[in-house]
């Protein structure tokens, strides 16, 4: 592989005009496609195979035109202090609002609060329920605007009016903190390279890659039913890995220049060596993201595949556009150790034999740190493992759920509507359960409907059970159940399971099937689906990546150590997420207004994304060690050599990735905020504790055994030559970069 990528790097360097033209054309094509594509709302949401989804599908068949999974809105009215909603003026305002709401083209029904008994006992709060033909993800902007306008008119009449429900599902806003993340990345790159031009290349290419990826997603959004969250995730992952991959190759290019090589040769070797690491690091990320499809949640699958596409673009750009841009830059890109004049340059790097003449240069920070770890591996290993274990302790109390309007910031109308309904009707009113009774095979459907209602009334945590509402055929009915607890509570989840448990008894007695659905039940089923899929997903992703890393490192213990280190870092990161978003530690700093269960998607999503990103550092850092070992260095010295060349770059890459992910903590969407925080913390733990401390300590303890591989497996595996052995010339084989005699392994 190294030889093939070496040829690509040299070709891109020579044919830079052609390569640059191709990428500019692709960016333009994607941009035109995005601009001309039909506007698409948020993607539709379905969970095949769950009871809640089966109930929705049944309602579509038995209640034609009901739009069971259609969007809903609750327009909540509160009377001014000292007044009642039953007052003449207030009643007239509400009925005028109801009339205005009914005029919407996508509206199927609007319930008048005064005929639907939707006024609180104290008479201060009332609500109008609005149902739409399509789901909240598919609702047109015009319908949302009409809903907001109706609420504003009632508000202008003197009432307090807020709107809740999924009809106002909005695109997440990331805020200015995302720009701050990119700015931090730029500063880190300038410090790392000592050159504005070299620092600009990773940012430029990453933005081009994200631009192509996100524009393509936008262009295909309508056809493939992709939502706004999909492009947000793709930009988050694509920007982070795009900067990192370009950083790896530019850094290796400058190292090759410092060895005294010509620029075209240096570009070819940089792509052949660091580019090989980029390819395999990218493959681990692709495996992790595409593997999300095993969860069998269409929305999650689309998010993973779209983000994987953006990562693939980042890899291709790093292998082709970066060497082309290096060709344009010419001598303005300095060798390692030499700064540009703008940043106080002037001192020259010692090329080829830095230690052969004069004063021995002071070892860099990576060399000093690795030497310390090699001398004290047991102490470093114990400290790292104990520290991550302590950070992971909160994960033992992890509670999973999906956020409702109660998790929204208090500045949103959805949250204020949620609070008003809780105040007037109780917390469970925000999460009603819809019980569907399928009595098609029952001899006495009406009796079955009554029996189901009676059984549910006897359960704990039930406040209200409405009479059954049958369809025209009389073989199916819906019953609304109001719990006593809020939608995201474990008590409400227990009630859903209790109703389903009673349904099994009712089926055996009356031949009627009982299904529980509604947004609350759907959230519970999604959480269960994600929990059930976590272990199979983990086995698939870690297993495939383990096999891939065996090919890369030609070792069994190194990939095993990489996987175990990842588990440590992801558990510690989950502990941090629980501490902030569930326990409320530092919640003010993170702008978390409402603590509660951790989003059900978080563990499986963190496993997928963090595993892929963690392997980036593992591949880049350890391939340098493997390269030194293959070229004759002792195992302990190979660890130090790997850090001398790679620690600075990996540190910069980690800081950049943390900055990019931290930028999404400012999002208005709780899901994006939690993902941004979790990924930033996970990268910190994995890069600075696992890869920088635990990995060298373990390799120092294992010695030559770290690179052990059974002979039969060695013969069976393909030789991908990540170390670039095929690129070494006769001169390279005689002398290593430090001028020492190479010890060729037997």
């Amino acid at each position: 592989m190294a030889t093939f990528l070496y040829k690509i790097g040299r070709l891109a360097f020579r044919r830079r005009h052609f390569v640059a033209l191709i990428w500019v054309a692709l960016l333009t094509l994607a941009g035109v496609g995005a601009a001309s594509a039909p506007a698409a709302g948020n993607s539709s949401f379905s969970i095949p195979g769950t009871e809640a989804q089966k109930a929705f599908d049944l309602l579509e068949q038995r209640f034609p035109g009901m739009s069971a999974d259609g969007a809903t809105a609750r327009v909540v009215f509160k009377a001014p202090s000292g007044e009642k909603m039953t007052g003449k003026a207030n009643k007239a305002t509400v009925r005028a609002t109801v009339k205005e709401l009914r005029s919407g083209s996508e509206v199927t029904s609007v319930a008048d609060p005064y005929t639907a008994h939707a006024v609180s006992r104290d008479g201060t709060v009332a609500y109008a329920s609005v149902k739409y033909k399509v789901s909240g993800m598919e609702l047109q902007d015009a319908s949302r605007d009409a809903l907001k306008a109706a609420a504003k008119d009632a508000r202008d009449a003197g009432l307090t009016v807020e709107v809740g429900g999924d009809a106002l599902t909005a695109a997440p806003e990331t805020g200015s903190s995302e720009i701050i993340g990119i700015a931090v990345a730029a500063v880190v790159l300038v410090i790392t390279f000592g050159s504005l031009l070299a620092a600009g290349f990773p940012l430029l290419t990453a933005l081009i890659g994200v631009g192509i990826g996100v524009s393509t997603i936008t262009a295909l959004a309508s056809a493939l039913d992709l939502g706004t969250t999909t492009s947000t995730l793709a930009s988050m992952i694509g920007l982070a890995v795009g900067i990192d991959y370009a950083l790896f190759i530019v850094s290796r290019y400058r190292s090759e220049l410092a060895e005294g090589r010509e620029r075209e040769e240096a570009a070819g070797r940089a792509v052949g060596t660091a580019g090989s690491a980029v390819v395999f690091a990218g493959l681990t990320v692709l495996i992790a993201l595409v593997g999300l499809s095993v969860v069998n949640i269409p929305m999650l699958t689309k998010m993973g595949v779209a983000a994987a596409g953006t990562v693939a673009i980042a890899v291709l750009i790093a292998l082709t556009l970066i060497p082309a841009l290096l060709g344009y830059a010419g001598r303005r890109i300095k060798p390692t150790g030499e700064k540009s004049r703008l940043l106080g340059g002037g001192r020259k790097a010692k090329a080829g034999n830095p230690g052969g003449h004069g004063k021995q240069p002071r070892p860099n920070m990576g060399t000093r740190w690795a030497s310390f770890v090699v001398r004290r591996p047991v102490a470093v290993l114990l400290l790292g493992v104990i520290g991550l274990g302590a950070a992971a302790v909160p994960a033992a109390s992890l509670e999973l759920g999906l956020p409702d309007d109660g998790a929204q910031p208090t500045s949103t109308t959805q949250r204020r509507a949620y609070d008003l309904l809780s105040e007037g009707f109780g917390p469970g009113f925000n999460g009603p359960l819809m019980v569907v009774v399928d009595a098609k095979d029952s001899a006495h459907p009406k009796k079955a409907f009554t029996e189901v209602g009676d059984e549910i009334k006897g359960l704990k945590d039930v406040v209200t059970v409405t009479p059954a509402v049958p369809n025209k055929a009389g073989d199916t009915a819906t019953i609304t159940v109001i719990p006593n607890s809020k939608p995201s509570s474990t008590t409400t989840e227990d009630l859903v399971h209790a109703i389903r448990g009673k349904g099994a008894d009712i089926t055996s007695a009356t031949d009627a099937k009982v299904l529980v659905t509604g947004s609350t039940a759907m959230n519970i089923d999604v959480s269960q689906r994600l929990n059930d899929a976590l272990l199979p997903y983990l086995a698939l992703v870690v297993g495939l990546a383990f096999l891939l890393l065996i090919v890369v490192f030609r070792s069994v213990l190194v990939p095993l150590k990489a996987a175990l280190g990842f588990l440590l870092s992801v558990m510690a990161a989950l502990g941090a997420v629980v501490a902030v978003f569930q326990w409320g530690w530092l919640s003010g700093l993170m702008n978390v207004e409402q603590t509660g269960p951790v989003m059900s998607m978080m563990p499986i999503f963190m496993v997928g994304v963090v595993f892929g990103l963690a392997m980036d550092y593992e591949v880049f850092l350890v391939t340098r060690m493997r390269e030194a070992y293959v070229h004759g260095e002792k195992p302990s010295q190979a660890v130090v050599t790997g850090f001398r060349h790679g620690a600075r770059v990996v540190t910069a890459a980690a800081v950049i990735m943390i900055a990019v992910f931290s930028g999404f903590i400012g999002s208005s969407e709780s899901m994006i905020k939690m993902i941004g925080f979790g990924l930033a913390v996970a990268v910190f733990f994995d890069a600075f504790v696992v890869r920088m401390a635990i990995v060298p300590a373990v390799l120092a303890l294992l010695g030559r055994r770290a690179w052990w591989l059974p002979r039969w497996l060695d013969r069976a595996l393909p030789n991908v030559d990540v170390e670039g052995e095929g690129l070494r010339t006769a001169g390279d084989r005689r002398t290593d970069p430090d001028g020492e005699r190479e010890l060729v392994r037997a």
Side-chain angles (χ1 to χ4, degrees):
M1 173 174 284
T3 304
F4 173 71
L5 293 178
Y6 166 80
K7 294 177 180 178
I8 289 179
R10 294 196 63 166
L11 180 64
F13 188 94
R14 288 197 309 271
R15 306 296 185 188
R16 46 188 173 272
H17 301 309
F18 180 69
V19 172
L21 182 62
I22 289 178
W23 283 111
V24 170
L26 289 174
L27 180 60
T28 304
L29 184 64
V32 171
S36 59
N42 295 297
S43 61
S44 58
F45 188 79
S46 64
I47 313 294
T50 60
E51 180 171 319
Q53 188 64 49
K54 290 177 181 177
F56 277 138
D57 296 340
L58 180 66
L59 289 172
E60 288 291 338
Q61 297 174 11
R62 305 286 175 83
F63 290 82
M66 179 181 179
S67 301
D69 61 346
T72 59
R74 281 177 170 172
V75 182
V76 187
F77 307 90
K78 184 175 182 180
S81 179
E83 297 183 21
K84 302 286 187 181
M85 287 305 305
T86 51
K88 185 176 180 180
N90 293 337
K91 186 180 288 188
T93 299
V94 170
R95 285 185 165 156
T97 304
V98 169
K99 183 178 180 181
E100 184 178 352
L101 289 169
R102 284 174 178 162
S103 63
S105 60
E106 293 183 308
V107 174
T108 58
S109 66
V110 181
D112 187 319
Y114 302 103
T115 58
H117 307 290
V119 180
S120 63
R121 289 184 179 180
D122 61 5
T124 60
V125 179
Y127 69 91
S129 294
V130 186
K131 284 194 65 66
Y132 293 86
K133 298 176 183 177
V134 296
S135 69
M137 304 253 182
E138 301 168 304
L139 202 62
Q140 295 180 2
D141 289 339
S143 296
R144 292 193 180 93
D145 293 340
L147 179 61
K148 295 175 183 176
K152 182 179 183 301
D153 292 342
R155 201 175 290 125
D156 292 341
L159 297 177
T160 298
V161 186
E162 306 296 345
V163 183
D166 59 352
L168 285 185
T169 302
E173 298 175 1
T174 54
S176 59
S177 53
E178 182 180 353
I179 306 300
I180 295 174
I182 296 176
V184 171
V187 172
V188 173
L189 287 169
V190 171
I191 294 173
T192 302
F193 289 134
S195 166
L196 292 176
L197 185 62
F201 282 175
L203 282 176
L204 174 63
T205 54
L207 291 174
I208 290 174
V210 170
I212 293 174
V214 172
S215 295
T216 303
I217 291 171
T218 304
L220 299 175
S222 179
L224 300 182
D225 194 25
L226 303 177
T228 54
T229 306
T230 303
S231 58
T232 303
L233 173 66
S235 64
M236 181 192 300
I237 304 299
L239 188 62
V241 300
I243 293 175
D244 278 7
Y245 295 163
L247 170 63
F248 294 160
I249 292 179
V250 173
S251 176
R252 186 60 184 254
Y253 172 75
R254 297 178 73 230
S255 296
E256 296 293 337
L257 290 179
E259 299 292 337
R261 294 189 172 89
E262 294 296 326
R263 295 187 177 273
E264 182 178 328
E265 177 70 11
R269 285 176 174 256
V271 175
T273 52
S276 297
V278 165
V279 168
F280 283 99
L283 283 175
T284 59
V285 180
L286 292 178
I287 289 172
L289 291 172
V290 175
L292 289 170
S293 58
V294 303
V295 183
N296 195 24
I297 296 179
M299 184 184 74
L300 192 59
T301 299
K302 293 172 185 176
M303 289 170 62
V305 172
T310 307
V311 171
I313 293 171
V315 172
L316 293 175
I317 283 181
L319 299 178
T320 57
L321 186 56
I322 283 293
L325 292 177
L326 292 174
Y328 282 118
R331 297 187 179 278
R332 285 171 290 182
I333 299 294
K334 307 298 181 182
T336 298
E338 186 176 339
K339 296 181 180 180
S340 65
R341 292 182 179 179
L342 184 62
L343 295 175
R347 66 180 176 86
K348 300 292 185 180
K350 292 182 174 64
N353 187 13
H357 303 285
K359 185 179 179 181
Q360 183 73 18
R362 185 169 182 257
N364 62 20
M365 180 66 75
T367 302
R368 297 198 300 273
W369 169 250
S371 300
F372 170 77
V373 174
V374 168
R375 290 195 305 269
R376 301 284 188 272
V378 176
V380 172
L381 178 61
L382 289 177
L383 185 62
V385 172
I386 292 172
L388 290 178
V393 168
S397 61
L398 175 68
E399 295 179 7
L400 298 176
L402 286 177
D404 52 31
D405 284 347
Q408 297 269 10
T410 52
S411 59
T412 62
T413 186
Q414 294 97 320
R415 171 61 185 277
R416 293 195 292 264
Y418 181 98
D419 292 341
L420 283 177
L421 287 173
S422 296
E423 175 189 331
F425 301 92
F429 205 78
N430 285 289
L433 306 175
M434 180 182 289
V435 179
V436 181
V437 185
D438 180 6
K440 190 173 184 178
D441 298 329
S442 176
H444 304 286
K446 291 184 179 179
K447 181 180 178 182
F449 301 155
T450 303
E451 188 171 337
V452 171
D454 292 341
E455 288 285 350
I456 295 174
K457 288 177 182 177
L459 296 175
K460 293 181 180 179
D461 198 48
V462 173
V463 174
T464 304
V465 178
T466 65
V469 179
N471 62 350
K472 290 183 179 180
D475 58 4
T476 308
T478 60
I479 300 173
T480 301
V481 179
I482 306 298
N484 189 43
S485 52
K486 63 181 182 179
S488 60
S489 69
T490 55
T491 307
T492 301
E493 182 178 350
D494 293 340
L495 175 60
V496 170
H497 293 314
I499 295 174
R500 289 172 174 171
K502 288 291 184 182
D505 298 335
I506 293 170
T507 299
S508 61
T510 65
D511 292 326
K513 298 177 183 177
V514 177
L515 304 172
V516 184
T517 188
S519 60
T520 301
M522 179 66 83
N523 288 349
I524 292 170
D525 287 350
V526 170
S527 299
Q528 188 63 48
R529 171 69 63 84
L530 290 166
N531 291 342
D532 294 342
L534 181 58
L535 288 180
Y537 173 72
L538 188 62
L540 173 69
V541 171
V542 175
L544 289 176
F546 180 78
L547 296 176
L548 185 66
L549 293 179
I550 287 179
V551 175
V552 174
F553 297 126
R554 306 197 75 79
S555 164
V556 174
L557 296 180
V558 170
L560 180 62
K561 172 265 307 169
L564 293 177
F566 153 74
L567 292 176
L568 275 174
S569 59
V570 81
M571 288 303 298
L574 276 176
V577 170
V578 169
V580 173
F581 291 90
Q582 187 176 311
W583 291 0
W585 293 5
L586 302 177
S587 58
L589 181 63
M590 299 295 167
N591 197 27
V592 179
E593 296 188 13
Q594 183 70 31
T595 59
V598 173
M599 184 180 59
S600 301
M601 198 179 295
M602 193 65 196
I604 198 166
F605 194 81
M606 184 179 287
V607 165
V609 176
V610 174
F611 183 79
L613 299 180
M615 294 306 104
D616 282 3
Y617 306 126
E618 179 76 15
V619 169
F620 190 76
L621 193 60
V622 181
T623 48
R624 272 291 199 171
M625 300 177 190
R626 167 79 181 171
E627 185 177 340
Y629 178 72
V630 167
H631 294 162
E633 292 189 8
K634 294 180 180 180
S636 58
Q637 182 58 36
V639 172
V640 176
T641 299
F643 268 75
R644 182 172 72 247
H645 292 294
R648 181 182 178 89
V649 178
V650 170
T651 299
V655 171
I656 289 168
M657 199 168 282
I658 291 169
V660 172
F661 288 148
S662 297
F664 290 87
I665 296 176
S667 173
S668 61
E669 174 66 42
S670 59
M671 172 180 169
I672 300 298
K673 181 190 292 288
M674 193 179 294
I675 288 176
F677 173 80
L679 293 182
V681 171
V683 169
F684 173 80
F685 285 146
D686 196 89
F688 294 109
V689 181
V690 174
R691 309 302 154 191
M692 290 291 183
I694 293 177
V695 165
V698 171
L699 291 178
L701 289 172
L702 290 176
R704 293 186 182 275
R705 289 168 295 182
W707 308 108
W708 170 80
L709 186 69
R711 289 187 178 180
W712 63 268
L713 186 56
D714 190 24
R715 291 191 297 269
L717 292 177
N719 183 15
V720 296
D721 189 21
V722 176
E723 303 85 14
E725 180 65 21
L727 304 180
R728 289 167 65 81
T729 64
D732 294 328
R733 294 189 177 94
R734 284 195 301 269
T735 308
D736 71 7
D738 292 326
E740 298 174 354
R741 184 76 178 172
E742 181 186 9
L743 303 175
V744 181
R745 285 196 304 149

